[in-house]
Amino acid sequence: MTSPILARSLRPSGWRTLLLLVTLAAGAPTLAATTAHGQQAGVDIRALFERIAVRAIEHGPMARQSAAQIDAAGYDLDEARGRRWPQIDLGVQSALVSPAVNAATPISKAPVTTLSASTVLFDWGRTGSAIEAAEFGLQAARDRHDAKLASIVYDACAAFAAVTRQTELAGLAESYVARMNELVDMLAQIVAVDGGRASELTQARARLLQARSLHEIAQSRVREAQVEMQKLIGESIPPLPPSAPWVLPMPELEQAIAKVAQDPQVLAANADTRAAEKRAEVIKASGMPALNLTVSRPLQKDAYGRPPGWQVGLALNMPLGRGGSINAAAGAAFERARSEAWRRDQLLVDLEYRVRSTHQEAYSLAARALSYADLSVELKKVRDNFFEQWLHLGRRSLLDVLNAQSEHYGNEVSAVSSRYDAYIANLRLLASSGQLVPWVRGDGAMR
């Protein structure tokens, strides 16, 4: 089911105080505007966003995909750790025949079955580096999963803000149509008495058709936003909050920049860099000698019927010539590690400047919405004055009245759009600094 369209017009005086606090009191853990009577003027949206985030994570396959990557990295770690344990093999070999064997010596034609175990005693840290690389790979998978969850949460919250914005704009368009209907009905009654004012009725009807067109466009955009929201969270869209300012945390710029280093994307890049470094160490150690302890025992009796015994020994393996392939592979691995480090540094720079630009955008949009709110109050007075002067005094033309009505409606649309643009920029600021998911969960993102 889709949410009903709000038919109530936006009253800027109800959220003007909140926008002023957002502009002047940044950095507070929560911004709750209060009226002169001490009542809260804003809507605490966090709990609603939490329900939306849970539904978005459970609905789409993206979270399950990244969770599967964590499981895969866990199995990679188990595989690396398993190399530290004795490697037990069961081998079957056919009887070896040599022409130089004395013909008097009995030759067994039965295959030889051998049970053997090999344990690494010293390999220059090759096995340990492989385990550490797998551990960092697992940590990177977890961090990427957190980054994916943050992206899902932001998309769902931004989509809900878009639905609310378009619904509120459709409510303004509906009020605009109702106002034009009243004006056309009034002129129709006047023309019934004074036929000389028929041209005014024609002008009003033209504006009414324009208002209806705007209303249809607004309703179409509501349906588009609802479809996008349903794609993210499922069929049922939560009830929309009342037409009041939202209480969103607005971190200070320096606080948001300081949180960038803890962003899941940055943490994943750090883990990828360390994993690449450890993989390079594994390749480098593969060119060094490795000392193994081997234990083996044939399972059949020999050709003379004697029972087999255990054989214990040390095995030293050292690659002498590989055509320089080991050094080349190690060099390539170290360069890949350096590349991961540069990628992480570039990510830090990108996130920092994204936070700076988003922070400026959020404050600018909030201030712009505040200006539109002030202007809307004055334009409403102008609209009412023009109407009274046209209806009772004849000092204004109908065109002046229609233009004032259209200008007032356009300003209300700009005010609502700027307010929701500020909300979305605020959400993007929290997401860029890695604070959106903790805030939505309610575990103190702004501490």
PDB file of all heavy atoms in Angstrom, residues 395-408:
ATOM      1  N   ARG A 395      -8.286  48.086  -7.007  1.00  0.00           N
ATOM      2  CA  ARG A 395      -6.989  48.718  -7.234  1.00  0.00           C
ATOM      3  C   ARG A 395      -5.985  47.756  -7.845  1.00  0.00           C
ATOM      4  O   ARG A 395      -4.897  48.176  -8.223  1.00  0.00           O
ATOM      5  CB  ARG A 395      -6.452  49.254  -5.907  1.00  0.00           C
ATOM      6  CG  ARG A 395      -7.294  50.381  -5.327  1.00  0.00           C
ATOM      7  CD  ARG A 395      -6.818  50.759  -3.936  1.00  0.00           C
ATOM      8  NE  ARG A 395      -5.397  51.088  -3.925  1.00  0.00           N
ATOM      9  CZ  ARG A 395      -4.688  51.330  -2.822  1.00  0.00           C
ATOM     10  NH1 ARG A 395      -5.292  51.239  -1.633  1.00  0.00           N
ATOM     11  NH2 ARG A 395      -3.413  51.630  -2.904  1.00  0.00           N
ATOM     12  N   ARG A 396      -6.304  46.475  -7.908  1.00  0.00           N
ATOM     13  CA  ARG A 396      -5.408  45.488  -8.508  1.00  0.00           C
ATOM     14  C   ARG A 396      -6.153  44.734  -9.597  1.00  0.00           C
ATOM     15  O   ARG A 396      -7.371  44.491  -9.494  1.00  0.00           O
ATOM     16  CB  ARG A 396      -4.910  44.488  -7.460  1.00  0.00           C
ATOM     17  CG  ARG A 396      -4.024  45.100  -6.392  1.00  0.00           C
ATOM     18  CD  ARG A 396      -2.661  45.480  -6.954  1.00  0.00           C
ATOM     19  NE  ARG A 396      -1.821  46.097  -5.919  1.00  0.00           N
ATOM     20  CZ  ARG A 396      -0.580  46.533  -6.135  1.00  0.00           C
ATOM     21  NH1 ARG A 396      -0.049  46.412  -7.344  1.00  0.00           N
ATOM     22  NH2 ARG A 396       0.101  47.082  -5.171  1.00  0.00           N
ATOM     23  N   SER A 397      -5.399  44.343 -10.616  1.00  0.00           N
ATOM     24  CA  SER A 397      -6.000  43.530 -11.670  1.00  0.00           C
ATOM     25  C   SER A 397      -5.991  42.061 -11.248  1.00  0.00           C
ATOM     26  O   SER A 397      -5.261  41.655 -10.342  1.00  0.00           O
ATOM     27  CB  SER A 397      -5.229  43.702 -12.983  1.00  0.00           C
ATOM     28  OG  SER A 397      -3.914  43.166 -12.857  1.00  0.00           O
ATOM     29  N   LEU A 398      -6.809  41.281 -11.949  1.00  0.00           N
ATOM     30  CA  LEU A 398      -6.827  39.849 -11.651  1.00  0.00           C
ATOM     31  C   LEU A 398      -5.465  39.215 -11.946  1.00  0.00           C
ATOM     32  O   LEU A 398      -5.047  38.281 -11.263  1.00  0.00           O
ATOM     33  CB  LEU A 398      -7.920  39.159 -12.470  1.00  0.00           C
ATOM     34  CG  LEU A 398      -8.017  37.641 -12.293  1.00  0.00           C
ATOM     35  CD1 LEU A 398      -8.391  37.285 -10.854  1.00  0.00           C
ATOM     36  CD2 LEU A 398      -9.009  37.037 -13.271  1.00  0.00           C
ATOM     37  N   LEU A 399      -4.777  39.742 -12.970  1.00  0.00           N
ATOM     38  CA  LEU A 399      -3.457  39.203 -13.291  1.00  0.00           C
ATOM     39  C   LEU A 399      -2.496  39.379 -12.114  1.00  0.00           C
ATOM     40  O   LEU A 399      -1.682  38.488 -11.831  1.00  0.00           O
ATOM     41  CB  LEU A 399      -2.904  39.893 -14.538  1.00  0.00           C
ATOM     42  CG  LEU A 399      -1.560  39.370 -15.055  1.00  0.00           C
ATOM     43  CD1 LEU A 399      -1.673  37.899 -15.421  1.00  0.00           C
ATOM     44  CD2 LEU A 399      -1.094  40.189 -16.253  1.00  0.00           C
ATOM     45  N   ASP A 400      -2.579  40.510 -11.408  1.00  0.00           N
ATOM     46  CA  ASP A 400      -1.746  40.711 -10.226  1.00  0.00           C
ATOM     47  C   ASP A 400      -2.052  39.663  -9.157  1.00  0.00           C
ATOM     48  O   ASP A 400      -1.157  39.132  -8.505  1.00  0.00           O
ATOM     49  CB  ASP A 400      -1.969  42.120  -9.655  1.00  0.00           C
ATOM     50  CG  ASP A 400      -1.441  43.212 -10.572  1.00  0.00           C
ATOM     51  OD1 ASP A 400      -0.524  42.913 -11.365  1.00  0.00           O
ATOM     52  OD2 ASP A 400      -1.957  44.341 -10.497  1.00  0.00           O
ATOM     53  N   VAL A 401      -3.331  39.386  -8.975  1.00  0.00           N
ATOM     54  CA  VAL A 401      -3.737  38.396  -7.976  1.00  0.00           C
ATOM     55  C   VAL A 401      -3.218  37.014  -8.351  1.00  0.00           C
ATOM     56  O   VAL A 401      -2.670  36.279  -7.513  1.00  0.00           O
ATOM     57  CB  VAL A 401      -5.262  38.375  -7.831  1.00  0.00           C
ATOM     58  CG1 VAL A 401      -5.705  37.272  -6.872  1.00  0.00           C
ATOM     59  CG2 VAL A 401      -5.770  39.734  -7.348  1.00  0.00           C
ATOM     60  N   LEU A 402      -3.371  36.647  -9.630  1.00  0.00           N
ATOM     61  CA  LEU A 402      -2.915  35.331 -10.078  1.00  0.00           C
ATOM     62  C   LEU A 402      -1.398  35.195  -9.969  1.00  0.00           C
ATOM     63  O   LEU A 402      -0.882  34.150  -9.558  1.00  0.00           O
ATOM     64  CB  LEU A 402      -3.368  35.081 -11.519  1.00  0.00           C
ATOM     65  CG  LEU A 402      -4.884  35.017 -11.745  1.00  0.00           C
ATOM     66  CD1 LEU A 402      -5.184  34.862 -13.228  1.00  0.00           C
ATOM     67  CD2 LEU A 402      -5.503  33.873 -10.954  1.00  0.00           C
ATOM     68  N   ASN A 403      -0.686  36.258 -10.336  1.00  0.00           N
ATOM     69  CA  ASN A 403       0.771  36.215 -10.239  1.00  0.00           C
ATOM     70  C   ASN A 403       1.237  36.098  -8.786  1.00  0.00           C
ATOM     71  O   ASN A 403       2.198  35.370  -8.478  1.00  0.00           O
ATOM     72  CB  ASN A 403       1.388  37.453 -10.885  1.00  0.00           C
ATOM     73  CG  ASN A 403       1.283  37.437 -12.396  1.00  0.00           C
ATOM     74  OD1 ASN A 403       1.138  36.372 -13.001  1.00  0.00           O
ATOM     75  ND2 ASN A 403       1.343  38.612 -13.019  1.00  0.00           N
ATOM     76  N   ALA A 404       0.565  36.808  -7.893  1.00  0.00           N
ATOM     77  CA  ALA A 404       0.928  36.738  -6.477  1.00  0.00           C
ATOM     78  C   ALA A 404       0.674  35.334  -5.927  1.00  0.00           C
ATOM     79  O   ALA A 404       1.470  34.794  -5.149  1.00  0.00           O
ATOM     80  CB  ALA A 404       0.148  37.775  -5.675  1.00  0.00           C
ATOM     81  N   GLN A 405      -0.455  34.730  -6.362  1.00  0.00           N
ATOM     82  CA  GLN A 405      -0.755  33.373  -5.921  1.00  0.00           C
ATOM     83  C   GLN A 405       0.294  32.386  -6.440  1.00  0.00           C
ATOM     84  O   GLN A 405       0.778  31.516  -5.703  1.00  0.00           O
ATOM     85  CB  GLN A 405      -2.138  32.975  -6.416  1.00  0.00           C
ATOM     86  CG  GLN A 405      -2.576  31.585  -5.983  1.00  0.00           C
ATOM     87  CD  GLN A 405      -2.768  31.473  -4.491  1.00  0.00           C
ATOM     88  OE1 GLN A 405      -3.357  32.350  -3.872  1.00  0.00           O
ATOM     89  NE2 GLN A 405      -2.258  30.393  -3.897  1.00  0.00           N
ATOM     90  N   SER A 406       0.659  32.523  -7.711  1.00  0.00           N
ATOM     91  CA  SER A 406       1.660  31.618  -8.294  1.00  0.00           C
ATOM     92  C   SER A 406       3.023  31.810  -7.641  1.00  0.00           C
ATOM     93  O   SER A 406       3.757  30.837  -7.391  1.00  0.00           O
ATOM     94  CB  SER A 406       1.759  31.850  -9.804  1.00  0.00           C
ATOM     95  OG  SER A 406       0.528  31.583 -10.442  1.00  0.00           O
ATOM     96  N   GLU A 407       3.380  33.057  -7.369  1.00  0.00           N
ATOM     97  CA  GLU A 407       4.676  33.322  -6.743  1.00  0.00           C
ATOM     98  C   GLU A 407       4.725  32.739  -5.330  1.00  0.00           C
ATOM     99  O   GLU A 407       5.747  32.187  -4.909  1.00  0.00           O
ATOM    100  CB  GLU A 407       4.939  34.825  -6.725  1.00  0.00           C
ATOM    101  CG  GLU A 407       6.353  35.178  -6.255  1.00  0.00           C
ATOM    102  CD  GLU A 407       6.629  36.666  -6.365  1.00  0.00           C
ATOM    103  OE1 GLU A 407       5.730  37.430  -6.790  1.00  0.00           O
ATOM    104  OE2 GLU A 407       7.759  37.075  -6.005  1.00  0.00           O
ATOM    105  N   HIS A 408       3.633  32.872  -4.616  1.00  0.00           N
ATOM    106  CA  HIS A 408       3.586  32.302  -3.265  1.00  0.00           C
ATOM    107  C   HIS A 408       3.715  30.775  -3.312  1.00  0.00           C
ATOM    108  O   HIS A 408       4.465  30.178  -2.522  1.00  0.00           O
ATOM    109  CB  HIS A 408       2.271  32.705  -2.594  1.00  0.00           C
ATOM    110  CG  HIS A 408       2.065  32.079  -1.246  1.00  0.00           C
ATOM    111  ND1 HIS A 408       2.892  32.328  -0.177  1.00  0.00           N
ATOM    112  CD2 HIS A 408       1.120  31.196  -0.796  1.00  0.00           C
ATOM    113  CE1 HIS A 408       2.481  31.635   0.872  1.00  0.00           C
ATOM    114  NE2 HIS A 408       1.410  30.941   0.513  1.00  0.00           N
TER     115      HIS A 408
END
